[in-house]
Amino acid sequence: MYTSFLIKYAEIGIKGKNRYIFEDALCQQIKYALKKCEGKFHIHKTAGRIFIDAESEFDFDEVVEHLKMVFGITGICPVIVTEDEGFEKLCETVVKYMDEAYPDKNMTFKVHARRARKNYPKESMEINMDMGAVLLEVFPEMRVDVHKPDIMLNIEIREKIYIYSEIIPGPGGMPVGTGGKAMLLLSGGIDSPVAGYMIAKRGVKIDAVYFHAPPYTSDRAKQKVVDLAKQVAKYTGPIYLHVINFTDIQLYIYEKCPHEELTIIMRRYMMRIAEEIAKKTECLGLITGESIGQVASQTMHSLVATNEVCELPVYRPLIGFDKQEIVEVSEKIGTYETSIQPFEDCCTIFVAKHPVTKPSVKVIRKHEKYLEEKIDELVQTALDTDELIIVG
Ligand code: ATP
Ligand code: MG
């Protein structure tokens, strides 16, 4: 029945003279999302609105499902587009539309007409009244409610006439690419994919880095991270995933440093390496899935220790979230099932029985001195052997 969609967007509508940048980015993201759908589509901006016209057969559910993943969209309105063949014909089309779209007529409605083309023979108010009267006559069970109607029937008169009443909620946020780029530390866990999703939702493009420790961590564990990146990329567009071999660094820390500080020192090296890659790739910040107190390495004291090695801002969107709240988002965005697959993570393999929960930065720095002899070279090798996988 539908041949077009009207795309509603909220926040990006208020960006003054930068507005077109946001609209163009949104069109770009819509294009990217629809590439994965069957059919041909024409995306165009008209007078502060974005329309998607189908130019071939398409699968309605598939298109809606993909549009629901485009940040910046607040509402997806399936639209009937019809030529202007006079008011009577328009009423016929609207009656047919209402009949098909709403089998149960026990509802209230309001007609809301907008005349973008002023030479249309009726004014908006007249259209509202006359079409309302026609609908009431054909469907006596329906009632008009001008304040809180169940159905707002929108009629937009342009070159063609657009009819729509349904608004399918979009994900909100800002179009990816309008907010610069950040480097996500992506592990195989539940938290980091959610963290990436949340920052991308604010318009930020995402690159990612994963530290693996073969043979202690398997190819399956790495594949799991690629799969998570793939799922996140459905929202963010392609993700450049850097896979860093962390084994020698980890073994060296294990050999030289007190075991209760292993995780913290390891995390500090992850941050340092992530920042190196971030700076080389024009990322403006790092993103982690940390949340206060979740584990020993995420107490306020530990966060001071991991934070101090970075110059770039570290974004931790889950910082005040409980685990259950994070799980809910991961289920919503489709990463949960992959995250709970039981593959080892490099952090869990070298984990100490009693990790420090209140590390002293001074002490940590002193113990990192034990690494002086080889660590720079190991870090350099890790950076030099960076494996880049483009996901999505
Ligand atoms: P997650 O569920 O994201 O794995 P977590 O609860 O297991 O988090 P930690 O293992 O302490 O927490 O890791 C904290 C954060 O550090 C992660 O959210 C992630 O951003 C980053 N991180 C941890 N391990 C890795 C890794 N192997 N590769 C890349 N980033 C990692
Ligand atoms: Mg983890």
Side-chain angles (χ1 to χ4, degrees):
M1 159 159 78
Y2 300 106
T3 52
S4 290
F5 294 90
L6 166 65
I7 299 302
K8 298 211 173 219
Y9 47 91
E11 256 178 289
I12 67 170
I14 54 170
K15 298 287 174 189
K17 62 184 192 316
N18 288 332
R19 177 175 171 148
Y20 77 96
I21 298 174
F22 290 83
E23 287 172 343
D24 288 352
L26 184 53
C27 288
Q28 206 53 43
Q29 291 302 115
I30 291 172
K31 250 181 221 159
Y32 173 76
L34 293 181
K35 252 195 226 153
K36 288 167 254 163
C37 299
E38 198 94 19
K40 246 189 107 200
F41 304 91
H42 175 54
I43 299 153
H44 56 105
K45 297 193 294 181
T46 320
R49 310 203 142 213
I50 292 173
F51 285 99
I52 303 169
D53 294 332
E55 293 182 325
S56 67
E57 293 280 301
F58 69 100
D59 180 336
F60 180 86
D61 292 337
E62 184 187 46
V63 166
V64 169
E65 188 203 322
H66 281 82
L67 291 176
K68 277 179 166 177
M69 294 185 186
V70 178
F71 295 134
I73 295 181
T74 56
I76 304 155
C77 309
V79 180
I80 301 268
V81 184
T82 165
E83 298 292 336
D84 178 10
E85 294 166 327
F87 189 69
E88 231 172 79
K89 190 83 185 49
L90 176 61
C91 287
E92 268 174 42
T93 309
V94 168
V95 163
K96 187 161 166 278
Y97 165 69
M98 290 298 276
D99 204 22
E100 281 176 32
Y102 303 101
D104 180 5
K105 304 288 181 306
N106 185 15
M107 61 184 189
T108 59
F109 76 102
K110 173 185 176 179
V111 180
H112 180 237
R114 281 185 18 151
R115 246 181 2 152
R117 174 161 64 81
K118 298 293 176 202
N119 67 358
Y120 194 76
K122 280 181 192 280
E123 285 185 13
S124 303
M125 276 310 275
E126 243 183 307
I127 303 174
N128 293 345
M129 310 253 287
D130 295 355
M131 191 169 292
V134 170
L135 285 167
L136 285 173
E137 203 181 306
V138 182
F139 306 118
E141 314 95 289
M142 288 189 352
R143 282 151 291 127
V144 171
D145 182 343
V146 289
H147 301 294
K148 270 192 160 180
D150 298 329
I151 300 299
M152 176 77 85
L153 175 59
N154 293 283
I155 311 286
E156 288 196 16
I157 315 273
R158 300 167 180 276
E159 260 334 289
K160 294 182 179 179
I161 299 176
Y162 296 76
I163 304 162
Y164 64 94
S165 57
E166 205 187 334
I167 304 180
I168 303 161
M174 313 273 270
V176 170
T178 54
K181 189 165 71 164
M183 180 64 70
L184 167 67
L185 282 87
L186 180 61
S187 69
I190 294 172
D191 307 330
S192 43
V194 173
Y197 167 90
M198 289 183 65
I199 297 297
K201 185 165 181 235
R202 298 306 304 159
V204 177
K205 190 163 168 33
I206 301 287
D207 278 354
V209 54
Y210 166 58
F211 297 91
H212 75 149
Y216 303 98
T217 62
S218 63
D219 272 351
R220 298 286 300 278
K222 176 173 145 189
Q223 186 56 44
K224 178 181 169 183
V225 173
V226 172
D227 292 344
L228 285 172
K230 238 180 232 168
Q231 185 60 24
V232 176
K234 288 185 185 168
Y235 296 89
T236 63
I239 294 178
Y240 283 53
L241 172 66
H242 300 263
V243 180
I244 295 288
N245 187 325
F246 205 52
T247 313
D248 291 344
I249 295 173
Q250 257 183 318
L251 289 174
Y252 192 51
I253 299 172
Y254 192 75
E255 183 192 324
K256 299 282 186 188
C257 298
H259 286 187
E260 63 276 12
E261 287 168 6
L262 280 184
T263 311
I264 290 290
I265 295 177
M266 233 170 60
R267 302 270 307 115
R268 281 163 63 95
Y269 277 96
M270 283 187 186
M271 300 299 269
R272 286 179 174 117
I273 291 172
E275 183 170 72
E276 281 289 314
I277 307 171
K279 284 181 172 169
K280 271 193 286 198
T281 53
E282 288 164 2
C283 288
L284 300 172
L286 303 178
I287 306 166
T288 75
E290 290 160 312
S291 142
I292 295 173
Q294 202 189 72
V295 286
S297 59
Q298 297 177 27
T299 62
M300 292 284 278
H301 293 78
S302 298
L303 288 167
V304 170
T306 37
N307 202 63
E308 75 133 8
V309 300
C310 300
E311 276 170 18
L312 286 176
V314 181
Y315 296 102
R316 300 178 172 91
L318 308 181
I319 201 68
F321 276 44
D322 294 345
K323 194 74 188 186
Q324 188 49 38
E325 292 169 319
I326 302 170
V327 165
E328 277 163 26
V329 183
S330 77
E331 284 174 333
K332 188 183 85 182
I333 67 173
T335 51
Y336 183 72
E337 287 305 318
T338 308
S339 289
I340 59 170
Q341 287 172 8
F343 299 119
E344 66 298 320
D345 180 84
C346 66
C347 295
T348 44
I349 282 167
F350 294 88
V351 78
K353 277 208 191 71
H354 300 289
V356 280
T357 53
K358 290 188 182 173
S360 139
V361 174
K362 250 196 190 150
V363 174
I364 298 277
R365 276 194 210 139
K366 196 176 95 195
H367 291 160
E368 278 182 354
K369 286 237 169 5
Y370 303 161
L371 303 168
E372 243 168 14
E373 196 189 329
K374 275 186 7 195
I375 196 71
D376 287 349
E377 188 193 324
L378 292 178
V379 166
Q380 195 52 52
T381 308
L383 284 167
D384 291 344
T385 54
D386 175 357
E387 180 197 357
L388 179 64
I389 304 175
I390 300 172
V391 179

